[in-house]
Amino acid sequence: MRLARRSTTAVLLLCVSLFAAACNSGGDNGGGTATDEKVELTFWSWVPNIDKVVDKWNATHPNIHVTASKQAQGDELVTKLLTAAKAGSPPDLAQVEYQALPTLVSNDVLADIKDKVGNAKSDFADGVWQTVTLGTDGVYAIPQDVGPMMLYYREDLFKKYGLTVPKTWDEFAATARAAKKKAPKSFLTTFSSGDPGWFVGLAQQAGASWWGINGDTWSVSINDPATKKVTDFWSGLVAEGVVDSKPMYTPEWNKALNDGTLLAWPSAIWGPGVLAGNAADTKGKWAMAALPQWAAGENKTGSWGGSTTAVTAGSKNQAAAAQFAVWLNTDPDAVATLVREGGIYPASKAAQSGPALSTAPDFFPNQPDFYVTAKGIADTAAGFTFGPNVNVAYSAYKDAFAKAISDKTPFGGALDTMQTTTLEDLKKAGFKVNG
């Protein structure tokens, strides 16, 4: 199934824009039937030590041999896949980030494998599975890893300043104000104009879904009420001066994490690795809790990051490839090896409480139940539909929100700019668009 009928010109335009701009099944529940003849499959992936997982498959599936090829991720891999598909030489399988799926599907790079994956859906949270269906009845990949969002906070400094962990965003705002009074040179956290994936996760938690697909017609709703609520909330805190507005992943941000200038960080499951690398002196001083909720008693989160295993439309062995994709991401031994050797947080619900995640990250010796808590959060991930021009929306976010911060203007105008830029780009690229 195609998400939209594209002209050759539109495909080329998209390629150019990309150059300019990341277990209950117990194994083979894929719908592909094993073949009597030996099948050779190629698999592009960036996961560290992916070959160790592939070796396990090859040792037990002599008729379907997989060769892994290490690749870069992000736009570089998307462009390479587009080029390979156009040349008629794509791999059989590829690791694809969730936000890149619509671009590749709309350019006929990926196959709809819904008839080849058996009951794999039951292995994943509903919101995660929705992301690989793109809002249609097709299935375009098998989830591999996810990035459920949560709140990291300096447990020692919260205690020192008499702060309580906020359970709602209203409480978060009150905590930001209280922290500023207790430690005038500090901020509860920062709002980053450089990280659109972070903002997407926050909007997702609030109920946003920026793109929609109905048949072959796309819609864009970046400035929907849910995202406006998130935008106005952070805009107000920045204007008050109780939340910083400097971007993440800078030397200044690293220093603020280390010296206590920043007391908290809404981030994702992979946060401990970042903290360990950028704020090593604070080991054992951070704790993790669920993101604050928009209404008391709710239990939802968004996602920041994650990827899938997709089968290409050009593969001559789609059933066998789908069988491998399902095994890779649902077989207990395969997923445990991915966790241990590749450092991922698995999308598989069963693996999230498996033995490979029985010990807390080294950076969190004070929170032995880290992954138990994380599992409960991951189960609440909301769904989200990405569109075929995510790169344009993300670029518009960086430009528009950075300008709003620099000009000290409300963020609502930046959100409207994102909406207009993304919608007009879809039209210009030749998609059928509602609105």
Side-chain angles (χ1 to χ4, degrees), residues 198 351 359 419:
W198 173 79
T359 304
Q419 168 71 19

Side-chain angles (χ1 to χ4, degrees), residues 233-287:
F233 175 81
W234 288 96
S235 182
L237 293 180
V238 170
E240 280 187 57
V242 296
V243 161
D244 199 6
S245 59
K246 295 181 177 64
M248 304 174 196
Y249 299 103
T250 64
E252 185 177 9
W253 181 73
N254 295 345
K255 182 177 182 299
L257 291 177
N258 258 308
D259 65 16
T261 300
L262 293 179
L263 308 182
W265 182 32
S267 186
I269 186 68
W270 38 260
V274 175
L275 293 172
N278 297 339
D281 295 342
T282 62
K283 179 179 179 179
K285 297 179 180 179
W286 292 82

Side-chain angles (χ1 to χ4, degrees), residues 21 67 96 132 146-147 152 199-200 236-237 314 317 341 349 389 409 417:
T67 300
V96 177
V132 300
V146 289
Y152 296 96
F199 186 73
V200 164
L237 293 180
N317 297 289
E341 301 290 347
K349 291 186 295 185
N389 61 342
T409 57
T417 296

Side-chain angles (χ1 to χ4, degrees), residues 50-404:
I50 190 64
D51 54 300
K52 294 184 179 181
V53 193
V54 171
D55 286 346
K56 289 178 177 289
W57 166 272
N58 289 333
T60 55
H61 297 76
N63 288 338
I64 304 175
H65 183 268
V66 177
T67 300
S69 174
K70 197 70 176 291
Q71 303 290 328
Q73 65 185 101
D75 284 353
E76 183 176 342
L77 180 57
V78 172
T79 301
K80 189 171 181 179
L81 283 167
L82 287 165
T83 303
K86 185 180 178 184
S89 56
D92 296 282
L93 300 117
Q95 188 174 353
V96 177
E97 291 171 305
Y98 292 102
Q99 70 269 20
L101 286 172
T103 295
L104 296 173
V105 172
S106 62
N107 281 283
D108 295 324
V109 176
L110 303 184
D112 179 356
I113 55 175
K114 65 178 178 293
D115 297 328
K116 302 177 178 67
V117 299
N119 65 339
K121 177 181 178 179
S122 63
D123 286 86
F124 307 99
D126 290 343
V128 173
W129 191 256
Q130 178 186 329
T131 310
V132 300
T133 67
L134 311 187
T136 73
D137 62 352
V139 175
Y140 298 98
I142 302 298
Q144 179 165 294
D145 60 300
V146 289
M149 292 188 72
M150 47 204 60
L151 181 67
Y152 296 96
Y153 64 97
R154 282 288 297 271
E155 190 174 34
D156 59 330
L157 296 181
F158 266 54
K159 183 177 181 179
K160 177 180 178 180
Y161 300 137
L163 306 175
T164 56
V165 181
K167 294 184 178 180
T168 67
W169 286 110
D170 283 343
E171 291 179 7
F172 183 90
T175 302
R177 297 178 186 114
K180 198 65 180 171
K181 289 181 180 178
K182 297 279 188 177
K185 294 183 179 180
S186 296
F187 297 92
L188 181 58
T189 193
T190 191
F191 179 91
S192 177
S193 64
D195 294 276
W198 173 79
F199 186 73
V200 164
L202 296 176
Q204 180 182 349
Q205 185 212 20
S209 192
W210 289 358
W211 290 266
I213 180 72
N214 184 9
D216 64 351
T217 302
W218 283 96
S219 59
V220 181
S221 55
I222 291 175
N223 61 350
D224 65 355
T227 310
K228 284 182 177 178
K229 177 172 64 176
V230 175
T231 303
D232 292 346
F233 175 81
W234 288 96
S235 182
L237 293 180
V238 170
E240 280 187 57
V242 296
V243 161
D244 199 6
S245 59
K246 295 181 177 64
M248 304 174 196
Y249 299 103
T250 64
E252 185 177 9
W253 181 73
N254 295 345
K255 182 177 182 299
L257 291 177
N258 258 308
D259 65 16
T261 300
L262 293 179
L263 308 182
W265 182 32
S267 186
I269 186 68
W270 38 260
V274 175
L275 293 172
N278 297 339
D281 295 342
T282 62
K283 179 179 179 179
K285 297 179 180 179
W286 292 82
M288 179 269 286
L291 276 186
Q293 302 294 306
W294 286 104
E298 284 186 346
N299 192 17
K300 299 177 183 177
T301 195
S303 298
W304 184 10
S307 63
T308 69
T309 308
V311 176
T312 65
S315 172
K316 295 179 174 59
N317 297 289
Q318 291 182 10
Q323 187 181 350
F324 171 76
V326 172
W327 174 88
L328 178 68
N329 299 303
T330 63
D331 178 82
D333 187 37
V335 181
T337 305
L338 278 172
V339 173
R340 288 193 302 266
E341 301 290 347
I344 71 162
Y345 184 73
S348 163
K349 291 186 295 185
Q352 289 168 0
S353 54
L357 294 174
S358 60
T359 304
D362 288 343
F363 200 74
F364 282 74
N366 53 315
Q367 194 168 10
D369 65 344
F370 182 95
Y371 283 119
V372 175
T373 302
K375 162 69 172 167
I377 294 170
D379 286 343
T380 71
F384 194 85
T385 300
F386 288 102
N389 61 342
V390 169
N391 60 315
V392 172
Y394 279 17
S395 179
Y397 170 86
K398 293 178 182 178
D399 293 343
F401 277 82
K403 187 175 188 304

